[in-house]
mmCIF file of all heavy atoms in Angstrom:
data_model
loop_
_atom_site.group_PDB
_atom_site.id
_atom_site.type_symbol
_atom_site.label_atom_id
_atom_site.label_comp_id
_atom_site.label_asym_id
_atom_site.label_seq_id
_atom_site.Cartn_x
_atom_site.Cartn_y
_atom_site.Cartn_z
ATOM 1 N N ALA A 41 96.182 -117.144 27.154
ATOM 2 C CA ALA A 41 95.419 -117.071 25.942
ATOM 3 C C ALA A 41 94.575 -115.782 25.865
ATOM 4 O O ALA A 41 94.365 -115.257 24.769
ATOM 5 C CB ALA A 41 94.518 -118.286 25.822
ATOM 6 N N ALA A 42 94.085 -115.326 27.011
ATOM 7 C CA ALA A 42 93.247 -114.164 27.057
ATOM 8 C C ALA A 42 94.073 -112.931 27.378
ATOM 9 O O ALA A 42 94.785 -112.868 28.383
ATOM 10 C CB ALA A 42 92.164 -114.307 28.108
ATOM 11 N N VAL A 43 93.960 -111.937 26.492
ATOM 12 C CA VAL A 43 94.662 -110.651 26.744
ATOM 13 C C VAL A 43 94.256 -110.035 28.073
ATOM 14 O O VAL A 43 95.042 -109.403 28.747
ATOM 15 C CB VAL A 43 94.388 -109.686 25.586
ATOM 16 C CG1 VAL A 43 95.017 -108.274 25.861
ATOM 17 C CG2 VAL A 43 94.936 -110.201 24.264
ATOM 18 N N ALA A 44 92.978 -110.247 28.432
ATOM 19 C CA ALA A 44 92.467 -109.690 29.678
ATOM 20 C C ALA A 44 93.205 -110.218 30.920
ATOM 21 O O ALA A 44 93.152 -109.588 31.978
ATOM 22 C CB ALA A 44 90.973 -109.943 29.809
ATOM 23 N N GLU A 45 93.859 -111.362 30.771
ATOM 24 C CA GLU A 45 94.568 -111.938 31.960
ATOM 25 C C GLU A 45 96.036 -111.533 32.028
ATOM 26 O O GLU A 45 96.736 -111.988 32.898
ATOM 27 C CB GLU A 45 94.482 -113.458 31.916
ATOM 28 C CG GLU A 45 93.019 -114.004 31.915
ATOM 29 C CD GLU A 45 92.244 -113.493 33.092
ATOM 30 O OE1 GLU A 45 92.820 -113.367 34.217
ATOM 31 O OE2 GLU A 45 91.072 -113.165 32.944
ATOM 32 N N VAL A 46 96.468 -110.677 31.147
ATOM 33 C CA VAL A 46 97.876 -110.210 31.141
ATOM 34 C C VAL A 46 97.974 -109.004 32.078
ATOM 35 O O VAL A 46 97.281 -107.984 31.891
ATOM 36 C CB VAL A 46 98.346 -109.798 29.721
ATOM 37 C CG1 VAL A 46 99.747 -109.282 29.723
ATOM 38 C CG2 VAL A 46 98.231 -110.996 28.804
ATOM 39 N N LEU A 47 98.817 -109.100 33.083
ATOM 40 C CA LEU A 47 98.976 -108.014 34.083
ATOM 41 C C LEU A 47 100.168 -107.091 33.763
ATOM 42 O O LEU A 47 100.182 -105.966 34.207
ATOM 43 C CB LEU A 47 99.188 -108.610 35.499
ATOM 44 C CG LEU A 47 98.066 -109.549 35.989
ATOM 45 C CD1 LEU A 47 98.437 -110.120 37.357
ATOM 46 C CD2 LEU A 47 96.754 -108.775 36.068
ATOM 47 N N LEU A 48 101.170 -107.560 33.020
ATOM 48 C CA LEU A 48 102.347 -106.788 32.770
ATOM 49 C C LEU A 48 102.155 -105.819 31.603
ATOM 50 O O LEU A 48 101.478 -106.163 30.600
ATOM 51 C CB LEU A 48 103.545 -107.695 32.455
ATOM 52 C CG LEU A 48 103.890 -108.739 33.527
ATOM 53 C CD1 LEU A 48 105.045 -109.587 33.078
ATOM 54 C CD2 LEU A 48 104.172 -108.070 34.855
ATOM 55 N N THR A 49 102.717 -104.654 31.711
ATOM 56 C CA THR A 49 102.540 -103.589 30.689
ATOM 57 C C THR A 49 103.835 -103.125 30.042
ATOM 58 O O THR A 49 103.783 -102.388 29.080
ATOM 59 C CB THR A 49 101.769 -102.395 31.256
ATOM 60 O OG1 THR A 49 102.501 -101.880 32.355
ATOM 61 C CG2 THR A 49 100.391 -102.802 31.677
ATOM 62 N N GLY A 50 104.995 -103.515 30.554
ATOM 63 C CA GLY A 50 106.238 -103.088 29.910
ATOM 64 C C GLY A 50 107.469 -103.542 30.705
ATOM 65 O O GLY A 50 107.315 -104.067 31.818
ATOM 66 N N TRP A 51 108.621 -103.435 30.091
ATOM 67 C CA TRP A 51 109.848 -103.843 30.774
ATOM 68 C C TRP A 51 111.046 -103.222 30.101
ATOM 69 O O TRP A 51 111.034 -102.782 28.909
ATOM 70 C CB TRP A 51 110.012 -105.372 30.766
ATOM 71 C CG TRP A 51 110.580 -105.955 29.521
ATOM 72 C CD1 TRP A 51 111.865 -106.319 29.293
ATOM 73 C CD2 TRP A 51 109.928 -106.226 28.271
ATOM 74 N NE1 TRP A 51 112.077 -106.829 28.010
ATOM 75 C CE2 TRP A 51 110.848 -106.796 27.389
ATOM 76 C CE3 TRP A 51 108.585 -106.070 27.863
ATOM 77 C CZ2 TRP A 51 110.537 -107.208 26.080
ATOM 78 C CZ3 TRP A 51 108.267 -106.461 26.540
ATOM 79 C CH2 TRP A 51 109.203 -106.997 25.728
ATOM 80 N N GLU A 52 112.172 -103.125 30.818
ATOM 81 C CA GLU A 52 113.436 -102.692 30.273
ATOM 82 C C GLU A 52 114.553 -103.329 31.106
ATOM 83 O O GLU A 52 114.452 -103.548 32.295
ATOM 84 C CB GLU A 52 113.587 -101.183 30.273
ATOM 85 C CG GLU A 52 113.613 -100.515 31.646
ATOM 86 C CD GLU A 52 113.778 -99.028 31.581
ATOM 87 O OE1 GLU A 52 114.070 -98.531 30.500
ATOM 88 O OE2 GLU A 52 113.670 -98.406 32.631
ATOM 89 N N ARG A 53 115.675 -103.588 30.430
ATOM 90 C CA ARG A 53 116.855 -104.165 31.081
ATOM 91 C C ARG A 53 117.634 -103.002 31.716
ATOM 92 O O ARG A 53 117.941 -102.000 31.081
ATOM 93 C CB ARG A 53 117.722 -104.868 30.094
ATOM 94 C CG ARG A 53 119.023 -105.468 30.695
ATOM 95 C CD ARG A 53 119.917 -106.072 29.629
ATOM 96 N NE ARG A 53 119.419 -107.351 29.123
ATOM 97 C CZ ARG A 53 119.781 -108.478 29.632
ATOM 98 N NH1 ARG A 53 120.593 -108.558 30.667
ATOM 99 N NH2 ARG A 53 119.330 -109.618 29.125
ATOM 100 N N VAL A 54 118.034 -103.188 32.983
ATOM 101 C CA VAL A 54 118.863 -102.198 33.666
ATOM 102 C C VAL A 54 120.320 -102.627 33.599
ATOM 103 O O VAL A 54 121.212 -101.825 33.297
ATOM 104 C CB VAL A 54 118.454 -102.077 35.186
ATOM 105 C CG1 VAL A 54 119.381 -101.139 35.919
ATOM 106 C CG2 VAL A 54 117.003 -101.602 35.286
ATOM 107 N N ASP A 55 120.613 -103.907 33.893
ATOM 108 C CA ASP A 55 121.947 -104.455 33.746
ATOM 109 C C ASP A 55 121.819 -105.961 33.525
ATOM 110 O O ASP A 55 120.742 -106.414 33.168
ATOM 111 C CB ASP A 55 122.895 -104.090 34.881
ATOM 112 C CG ASP A 55 122.342 -104.583 36.226
ATOM 113 O OD1 ASP A 55 121.653 -105.631 36.291
ATOM 114 O OD2 ASP A 55 122.576 -103.895 37.291
ATOM 115 N N ASP A 56 122.914 -106.687 33.713
ATOM 116 C CA ASP A 56 122.885 -108.096 33.429
ATOM 117 C C ASP A 56 121.946 -108.908 34.317
ATOM 118 O O ASP A 56 121.595 -110.050 33.970
ATOM 119 C CB ASP A 56 124.306 -108.700 33.555
ATOM 120 C CG ASP A 56 125.150 -108.348 32.327
ATOM 121 O OD1 ASP A 56 124.617 -107.854 31.348
ATOM 122 O OD2 ASP A 56 126.363 -108.589 32.354
ATOM 123 N N VAL A 57 121.612 -108.406 35.476
ATOM 124 C CA VAL A 57 120.795 -109.173 36.417
ATOM 125 C C VAL A 57 119.534 -108.435 36.865
ATOM 126 O O VAL A 57 118.753 -109.052 37.620
ATOM 127 C CB VAL A 57 121.633 -109.620 37.648
ATOM 128 C CG1 VAL A 57 122.788 -110.485 37.268
ATOM 129 C CG2 VAL A 57 122.128 -108.362 38.433
ATOM 130 N N LEU A 58 119.317 -107.203 36.451
ATOM 131 C CA LEU A 58 118.243 -106.432 36.965
ATOM 132 C C LEU A 58 117.355 -105.904 35.841
ATOM 133 O O LEU A 58 117.895 -105.423 34.806
ATOM 134 C CB LEU A 58 118.776 -105.251 37.829
ATOM 135 C CG LEU A 58 117.723 -104.423 38.562
ATOM 136 C CD1 LEU A 58 116.942 -105.231 39.571
ATOM 137 C CD2 LEU A 58 118.377 -103.240 39.229
ATOM 138 N N PHE A 59 116.057 -105.934 36.034
ATOM 139 C CA PHE A 59 115.117 -105.421 35.061
ATOM 140 C C PHE A 59 114.079 -104.554 35.794
ATOM 141 O O PHE A 59 113.702 -104.860 36.933
ATOM 142 C CB PHE A 59 114.435 -106.561 34.325
ATOM 143 C CG PHE A 59 115.334 -107.442 33.568
ATOM 144 C CD1 PHE A 59 116.020 -108.480 34.184
ATOM 145 C CD2 PHE A 59 115.550 -107.222 32.203
ATOM 146 C CE1 PHE A 59 116.888 -109.281 33.477
ATOM 147 C CE2 PHE A 59 116.447 -107.994 31.497
ATOM 148 C CZ PHE A 59 117.083 -109.034 32.112
ATOM 149 N N ARG A 60 113.592 -103.566 35.118
ATOM 150 C CA ARG A 60 112.434 -102.779 35.558
ATOM 151 C C ARG A 60 111.244 -103.188 34.717
ATOM 152 O O ARG A 60 111.328 -103.339 33.507
ATOM 153 C CB ARG A 60 112.678 -101.287 35.420
ATOM 154 C CG ARG A 60 113.752 -100.719 36.395
ATOM 155 C CD ARG A 60 113.653 -99.218 36.413
ATOM 156 N NE ARG A 60 114.758 -98.635 37.217
ATOM 157 C CZ ARG A 60 115.843 -98.128 36.743
ATOM 158 N NH1 ARG A 60 116.034 -98.090 35.406
ATOM 159 N NH2 ARG A 60 116.764 -97.662 37.520
#
Side-chain angles (χ1 to χ4, degrees):
V43 174
E45 300 306 321
V46 179
L47 302 177
L48 304 180
T49 57
W51 84 98
E52 64 178 352
R53 179 186 284 269
V54 177
D55 57 32
D56 281 350
V57 297
L58 184 65
F59 298 84
R60 292 194 185 99

